[in-house]
Every structure is written in structure tokens, then in C-alpha cells.
Amino acid sequence: LLIEGTIVASRTGKSQNRMHQVEIDVSKYEGRDARIQIVDRVSGGWGNIGADHFVLTDRPLPAKRLDSRHDFGTMAIMLPL
């Protein structure tokens, strides 16, 4: 998470293809410009990045097992043209 160009928070994955919920309290940055930046620094034959459902709220989200969601297991594939 960048606030006015400065990294103020960072999260990494768990080296697996299962999604998990991550929260960052951004209340102290109210009124400032923010940007989410996703970076892949791994170089190798295989890998991927998954990010989904970004929510900005003033209340904590309830923890919910992702495999209990109706759309769990769906997939999208993107290939360069």
C-alpha cells in the first residue's frame, strides 16, 4: 500500500494457490492519496499472483472461510496476445 508514493504497508502470499483474507487498517491515512501496488519479483518457470475483492470500509470484515463461498473454485486465465 502506497500513500502519496511511500510504502506504508506490505503483505505477501503463503506460497500456495489458496486465497486468504488480509486486512490493513488505513484509518490514519484518511484524506490522503492511496494506491495498491502488486509486485512479482520472482523469476522462474512458473508462478502466479492472485488478488481479489478489495474493500474499503469503516468496519472490520467478518472472517469467512473462502472455501465456503458459492463462487470458490472458479478460475480465470489470461494469455498475452
Side-chain angles (χ1 to χ4, degrees):
L1 174 65
L2 292 99
I3 302 294
E4 297 172 351
T6 301
I7 298 171
V8 298
S10 179
R11 301 294 185 269
T12 60
K14 296 182 177 184
S15 296
Q16 60 181 343
N17 283 328
R18 297 203 109 177
M19 301 288 273
H20 64 280
Q21 185 170 310
V22 174
E23 296 180 16
I24 300 173
D25 181 358
V26 296
S27 59
K28 62 185 170 189
Y29 307 114
E30 183 175 358
R32 298 174 66 190
D33 291 330
R35 183 171 42 148
I36 295 171
Q37 181 177 16
I38 299 172
V39 178
D40 180 7
R41 290 199 172 105
V42 175
S43 61
W46 184 90
N48 60 40
I49 294 176
D52 183 23
H53 199 70
F54 292 90
V55 176
L56 182 60
T57 181
D58 59 355
R59 285 175 272 186
L61 295 173
K64 185 173 184 181
R65 287 182 46 124
L66 295 179
D67 59 358
S68 68
R69 295 178 52 101
H70 75 279
D71 59 349
F72 182 79
T74 58
M75 180 175 76
I77 298 174
M78 180 173 54
L79 301 171
L81 297 177

